[in-house]
Amino acid sequence: MKYYSTNKNTPSVNLKNAVVKGLAADNGLFMPERIEKFNPSFFENIQNISFQEIAFEVAKNFFGEDVEEASLKEIVYDTLAFDCPVVKVADNIYSLELFHGPTLAFKDVGARFMARLLNYFLVENEKQVHVLVATSGDTGSAVANGFLGVDGIHVHVLYPKGKVSKIQESQFTTLGQNITALEIDGTFDDCQRLVKTAFLDEELNKKLLLTSANSINVARFLPQAFYYFNAYARMKEQGMLQNNELVISVPSGNFGNLTAGLFAREMGLPVAQFLAANNENDVVYEYLKSGEYNPRDSVETIANAMDVGAPSNFARILELYGHSHEKISSVIKGFRYSDEQIRETVKNVYEQTGYLCDPHGACGYRALEEFLGVGQTGVFLETAHPAKFTETVEGVIGNGNVPLPPKLAEFMKDERRVLPMSIDFQQFKEYLKQLK
Ligand SMILES: *Cc1c(COP(=O)(O)O)cnc(C)c1O
């Protein structure tokens, strides 16, 4: 299958190139040239099929022409070594828990899949690949853990000194093996600038195979469709849907997660409606209302993984629906919440149902609560474990005992190993030059 650029100013490429390059040469995002629809009979029996089997069927639709079947099966099964269960929260409102992976957030799925797919394409290649990631917290931990121990790939995580939480930092500074943490004496923007400058440096690119593990990469983006299909299957299996329409609510920042859901719907998944739940970074919310898209600088909120002012996957949504505002605003309804509303929702849901949402999931829950009508059942994507946001969550529910899951506690115990570095590109370049 070929992948074309949303900017349409550069030739289409094969899957391997789309994965290794990440972004198209004209700065557009890669899109698969076709989206295959499942036969409706697939959905009649889907409740009898396991998560891994469903994911394998979905993966074959996208990657089946480019990856040998047995290898693809191994990549999928290995990625989904943890579950994404659907649990009941309130009447007709369910939570799709995407936080049972190594770093307790949904990005683990895409990061693991990408690591294994990249490894598949590079086994023949004797040259080591160097993945450079700038992180403000969560991306670095998902990528580092997804790539941990994968042959032929070394990950270098650049993060701003003193600006990520202790829990986040421990998730990429304690791993060792093929993961190196670079503690940059600057801001997230400085980290990003160093990485971008390295990608453009001719001397470095002659010597090393450099790549990014950005969330716009098709190998991170498309596998997120897996758990939408599985949510439908498990809800059907557990009698949660009855004859109701399914409404899916997605806490959104860069809109990769929600766009993967739209792809699932294009493949035939019976979803009546998507809800995009935002914090105060509301450019898509405004677009859905007015048809005008005005990206701007992000503002800081307590749901910080959604602090995005210019969501990159918006280009894919426009492309998917031929730039029709009418179509887009009928498939997706927008919701926007202030920090105060998010805190209020975490508290109310906890007091009324006993379910503890993280600040991102809380936005998803609230959108369902406000939107759902008669004959509809809702599921929201719980994108992170609440323990990743203990300071916010404990303050809101008024007791200081959100237990740290064992996985997080393990990270906190291990020794932190970092390489301190200034924001001077020459120093970063010298570091990269001595790599093999
Ligand atoms: C990354 C992230 C989001 C936003 O997902 P997008 O795909 O960027 O829209 C939401 N919640 C959490 C916890 C995240 O880490």
Side-chain angles (χ1 to χ4, degrees):
M1 173 117 67
K2 287 270 192 272
Y3 289 79
Y4 70 93
S5 164
T6 51
N7 284 347
K8 298 178 180 152
N9 272 323
T10 184
S12 300
V13 300
N14 64 17
L15 177 63
K16 178 178 173 177
N17 268 311
V19 174
V20 173
K21 291 199 163 61
L23 200 64
D26 61 359
N27 279 329
L29 274 71
F30 286 118
M31 290 280 279
E33 63 178 357
R34 279 177 284 117
I35 299 178
E36 310 259 3
K37 267 211 191 319
F38 280 108
N39 189 311
S41 66
F42 177 65
F43 297 103
E44 277 159 31
N45 297 315
I46 197 167
Q47 69 278 9
N48 303 319
I49 312 178
S50 74
F51 185 15
Q52 287 89 345
E53 279 175 89
I54 292 170
F56 181 44
E57 291 305 316
V58 176
K60 275 196 281 192
N61 266 6
F62 290 118
F63 310 119
E65 288 171 18
D66 302 270
V67 184
E68 200 240 317
E69 184 157 326
S71 303
L72 186 58
K73 187 167 185 176
E74 221 178 284
I75 293 170
V76 170
Y77 277 60
D78 190 49
T79 298
L80 302 177
F82 49 87
D83 200 13
C84 300
V86 178
V87 306
K88 180 169 175 145
V89 177
D91 269 353
N92 265 336
I93 300 188
Y94 297 87
S95 167
L96 169 58
E97 293 186 343
L98 300 177
F99 56 66
H100 296 279
T103 73
L104 309 185
F106 82 91
K107 291 186 178 73
D108 284 329
V109 174
R112 274 173 89 100
F113 189 90
M114 182 183 166
R116 281 147 188 82
L117 192 63
L118 199 55
N119 168 266
Y120 169 83
F121 282 130
L122 298 169
V123 278
E124 303 291 302
N125 200 326
E126 72 287 5
K127 211 167 165 183
Q128 162 114 326
V129 180
H130 293 278
V131 174
L132 308 181
V133 216
T135 187
S136 55
D138 271 1
T139 300
S141 54
V143 170
N145 284 273
F147 283 73
L148 181 65
V150 176
D151 276 349
I153 308 176
H154 198 109
V155 176
H156 309 267
V157 182
L158 288 77
Y159 73 102
K161 179 177 176 179
K163 294 193 176 63
V164 304
S165 78
K166 283 276 166 262
I167 288 181
Q168 286 174 328
E169 191 182 20
S170 71
Q171 290 176 307
F172 53 80
T173 58
T174 57
L175 300 169
Q177 297 184 53
N178 60 330
I179 312 297
T180 304
L182 304 174
E183 182 189 51
I184 308 295
D185 195 3
T187 61
F188 169 65
D189 292 333
D190 292 318
C191 297
Q192 209 154 26
R193 189 178 42 77
L194 288 173
V195 167
K196 282 189 178 159
T197 313
F199 285 134
L200 296 173
D201 189 283
E202 248 177 75
E203 191 187 352
L204 285 176
N205 283 280
K206 260 189 207 141
K207 184 173 186 301
L208 300 167
L209 202 51
L210 296 178
T211 189
S212 76
N214 199 298
S215 64
I216 55 173
N217 196 299
V218 288
R220 269 192 66 188
F221 160 71
L222 289 172
Q224 296 171 353
F226 297 164
Y227 44 70
Y228 284 92
F229 286 88
N230 187 56
Y232 177 77
R234 303 291 73 91
M235 290 178 82
K236 212 176 158 194
E237 183 186 36
Q238 297 172 75
M240 294 165 171
L241 283 172
Q242 290 145 357
N243 286 318
N244 283 356
E245 287 185 339
L246 178 60
V247 177
I248 302 184
S249 176
V250 190
S252 295
N254 243 330
F255 279 75
N257 213 1
L258 189 139
T259 309
L262 299 175
F263 273 64
R265 188 169 180 272
E266 292 302 300
M267 294 167 86
L269 185 69
V271 183
Q273 186 72 59
F274 280 97
L275 310 183
N278 283 138
N279 57 27
E280 281 177 343
N281 295 280
D282 58 0
V283 297
V284 174
Y285 171 85
E286 291 294 340
Y287 165 82
L288 291 170
K289 274 209 321 206
S290 68
E292 278 172 45
Y293 183 61
N294 296 310
R296 50 177 149 76
D297 288 346
S298 63
V299 295
E300 276 184 42
T301 76
I302 58 167
N304 60 9
M306 308 197 303
D307 294 351
V308 180
S312 36
N313 282 289
F314 188 64
R316 284 191 169 120
I317 299 180
L318 289 175
E319 184 60 30
L320 201 56
Y321 297 104
H323 291 249
S324 161
H325 174 254
E326 197 188 328
K327 279 189 202 153
I328 295 171
S329 59
S330 79
V331 179
I332 311 168
K333 300 288 178 224
F335 295 81
R336 163 187 70 186
Y337 301 112
S338 65
D339 279 359
E340 197 188 329
Q341 290 174 306
I342 296 173
R343 285 201 183 89
E344 180 185 276
T345 308
V346 171
K347 184 170 193 287
N348 288 346
V349 177
Y350 184 67
E351 284 174 356
Q352 289 160 16
T353 72
Y355 192 83
L356 186 56
C357 289
D358 93 291
H360 307 81
C363 297
Y365 178 94
R366 183 151 176 164
L368 282 178
E369 200 178 40
E370 290 176 10
F371 178 83
L372 279 185
V374 180
Q376 294 181 319
T377 294
V379 63
F380 65 99
L381 275 55
E382 181 41 298
T383 47
H385 193 292
K388 292 194 88 168
F389 303 91
T390 40
E391 281 139 45
T392 304
V393 172
E394 285 173 352
V396 168
I397 62 170
N399 65 29
N401 62 359
V402 177
L404 212 54
K407 278 180 211 151
L408 280 188
E410 277 304 309
F411 286 119
M412 299 292 276
K413 274 200 324 235
D414 290 338
E415 194 196 340
R416 173 179 171 278
R417 274 168 293 181
V418 302
L419 211 58
M421 209 167 269
S422 75
I423 58 169
D424 172 27
F425 179 68
Q426 280 314 318
Q427 194 189 355
F428 184 47
K429 185 169 172 175
E430 286 309 316
Y431 162 76
L432 293 174
K433 271 168 73 179
Q434 49 82 36
L435 302 170
K436 289 201 180 61

